């Protein structure tokens, strides 16, 4: 089949890489315009663009597909001229109007990192961890004009471990998404089978995964130990949980686990112990969490032994 692939970050690049190993023809790749990144703020190509260029695939980076502008109409015409059988979309970052969704022969398929209709939206992986879900997965859906509202064609399932961060869960789901896409697109008849048997989402079960903000990554020690641990894992690698040291400096928290230290009658945020496992801190439910990886301003992330050696924190100190 002739496939257009639309995606931007590493999650999408894993799926593109899998499709490149099949007999399908990737006729074009669509991705977000290059963005400034890193300390030097150099224009950097997306993971998907880098992979496409390495395989000599044509790359398109329109700003939008709006019918109300000449640029949008030109982008629509460009896409139509590719005469693709199907368009695969994964974390692309642009809204696709109905005219684009209807352009390929079999429409557009989306790889979404949750078990829809739970966790529609921008941050499904992080919200699943933060909420305490024990299972997530990937949904391949036929795209509709709404936000992740399309009919479901195929699902994979993935347990969420107590040690999972958004980074580790992302990698598992990226792989599942790639495998699921290859399976659904095994042949035209296979694709038609999944399209014929697709399932409408139950709107009553819809939960939205709202976009993350840096502000919500500040640790609230009055929360329960379980919730604080979930949030630290959910916000790794972005926006990264933090403790405000003062008005302009934050102590970033990269890793944690639940602690067995006795926090009874201790004020929330009190350091109970510092040992080879990390910094044990009292939480709002008189339980404790152990911070296993910390990063001071201007420094690198430190493990528990390195934290102990710095002697920057003290037992009894309130964070």
């Amino acid at each position: 089949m002739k496939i257009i692939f639309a995606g931007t970050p590493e999650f999408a690049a894993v799926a593109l890489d899998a499709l490149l190993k099949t007999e399908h023809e990737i006729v074009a790749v669509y991705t977000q315009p290059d963005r400034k990144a890193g300390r030097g703020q150099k224009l950097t190509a997306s993971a998907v663009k880098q992979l496409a260029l390495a395989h000599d695939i044509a790359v398109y980076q329109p700003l939008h597909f709006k019918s109300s502008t000449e640029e949008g109409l030109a982008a629509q015409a460009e896409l139509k001229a590719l005469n693709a059988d199907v368009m695969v979309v994964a974390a692309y970052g642009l809204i696709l109007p109905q005219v684009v969704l209807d352009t390929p022969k079999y429409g557009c398929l989306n790889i979404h990192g949750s078990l829809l209709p739970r966790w529609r939206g921008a941050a499904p992986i992080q919200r699943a961890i933060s909420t305490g879900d024990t299972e997530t997965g990937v949904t391949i859906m036929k795209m509709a004009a709404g936000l992740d509202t399309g009919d479901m064609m195929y699902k994979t399932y993935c347990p969420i471990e107590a040690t999972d961060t958004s980074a580790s869960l992302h990698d598992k789901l990226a792989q599942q998404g790639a495998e699921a896409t290859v399976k659904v697109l095994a042949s035209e008849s296979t694709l038609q089978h999944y399209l014929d048997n697709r399932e409408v989402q139950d709107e009553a079960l819809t939960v939205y995964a709202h976009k993350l903000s840096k502000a919500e990554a500040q640790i609230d020690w009055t929360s329960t130990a379980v919730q604080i641990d979930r949030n630290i894992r959910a916000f790794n690698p972005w926006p990264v949980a933090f403790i405000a040291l003062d008005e302009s400096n934050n102590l970033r928290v990269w890793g944690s686990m639940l602690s067995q230290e006795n926090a009874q009658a201790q004020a929330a945020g009190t350091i109970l112990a510092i040992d080879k496992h990390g910094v044990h801190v009292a939480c709002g439910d008189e339980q404790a969490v152990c911070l296993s990886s910390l990063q001071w301003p201007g420094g690198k992330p430190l493990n528990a032994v390195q934290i102990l050696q710095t002697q920057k924190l003290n037992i009894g100190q309130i964070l």
Side-chain angles (χ1 to χ4, degrees):
M1 283 186 285
K2 294 173 69 175
I3 298 173
I4 294 170
F5 188 89
T8 299
E10 187 61 33
F11 182 88
V14 175
L16 175 58
D17 187 53
L19 286 171
L20 287 167
K21 293 170 183 170
T22 68
E23 294 183 358
H24 298 303
E25 180 189 359
I26 310 298
V27 294
V29 158
Y30 279 75
T31 191
Q32 286 275 312
D34 297 0
R35 301 274 193 253
K36 291 181 179 179
R39 289 188 176 179
Q41 288 293 288
K42 291 182 180 179
L43 276 179
T44 305
S46 71
V48 165
K49 180 178 179 178
Q50 292 178 41
L51 182 59
L53 293 177
H55 287 81
D56 297 319
I57 299 169
V59 175
Y60 297 87
Q61 297 175 277
L63 294 175
H64 58 77
F65 289 94
K66 294 175 183 176
S67 299
S68 57
T69 69
E70 287 185 18
E71 295 93 334
L73 290 171
Q76 291 178 19
E78 207 167 40
L79 189 143
K80 186 176 182 180
L82 294 167
N83 197 30
D85 292 307
V86 67
M87 183 167 171
V88 176
V89 182
Y92 179 25
L94 278 191
I95 294 171
L96 301 180
Q98 193 64 47
V99 64
V100 170
L101 300 181
D102 294 337
T103 296
K105 179 179 177 182
Y106 293 103
C108 298
L109 310 186
N110 181 246
I111 310 168
H112 185 75
S114 81
L115 298 173
L116 290 171
R118 185 170 180 80
W119 301 129
R120 291 178 181 174
I125 296 173
Q126 297 91 334
R127 297 302 178 196
I129 292 176
S130 179
T131 304
D133 290 3
T134 57
E135 183 180 54
T136 186
V138 166
T139 304
I140 306 293
M141 64 174 157
K142 186 171 192 294
M143 292 180 71
L147 178 64
D148 300 327
T149 56
D151 294 348
M152 303 176 293
M153 297 167 60
Y154 183 73
K155 285 184 178 181
T156 68
Y157 296 84
C158 180
I160 300 177
E161 307 293 344
T163 54
D164 267 324
T165 63
S166 287
S168 65
L169 192 55
H170 165 281
D171 292 351
K172 295 176 192 177
L173 294 182
Q175 191 58 46
Q176 285 196 3
E179 293 168 1
T181 303
V182 170
K183 181 170 184 172
V184 169
L185 297 176
S187 66
E188 279 198 65
S189 60
T190 304
L191 173 57
Q192 190 63 61
H193 166 77
Y194 282 110
L195 285 168
D196 290 343
N197 292 280
R198 65 188 190 270
E199 181 185 353
V200 176
Q201 294 187 41
D202 184 347
E203 292 295 327
L205 300 177
T206 299
V207 182
Y208 282 97
H210 296 289
K211 190 175 180 180
L212 298 175
S213 69
K214 288 185 178 180
E216 67 182 304
Q218 180 168 2
I219 295 175
D220 175 6
W221 293 112
T222 63
S223 295
T224 66
V226 167
Q227 188 60 60
I228 290 170
D229 174 59
R230 286 176 186 165
N231 287 352
I232 290 168
R233 291 184 290 110
F235 299 144
N236 175 352
W238 194 91
V240 188
F242 69 90
I243 300 159
L245 297 174
D246 53 46
E247 288 184 4
S248 56
N249 291 297
N250 295 328
L251 176 60
R252 304 174 95 187
V253 183
W254 287 94
S256 66
M257 64 192 85
L258 295 178
S259 167
Q260 298 304 313
E261 287 289 327
N262 182 4
Q264 288 184 337
Q266 297 287 342
T270 301
I271 296 177
L272 305 170
I274 306 172
D275 58 24
K276 64 181 181 180
H277 301 294
V279 181
H280 303 257
V281 186
C283 304
D285 59 346
E286 294 194 334
Q287 301 297 310
V289 69
C290 177
L291 311 180
S292 56
S293 178
L294 298 174
Q295 182 181 10
W296 272 267
K300 296 179 180 179
L302 304 180
N303 63 30
V305 174
Q306 293 168 323
I307 293 166
L308 196 55
Q309 292 169 343
T310 66
Q311 298 185 336
K312 288 185 176 181
L313 298 173
N314 302 296
I315 295 171
Q317 180 180 347
I318 297 179
L319 298 173

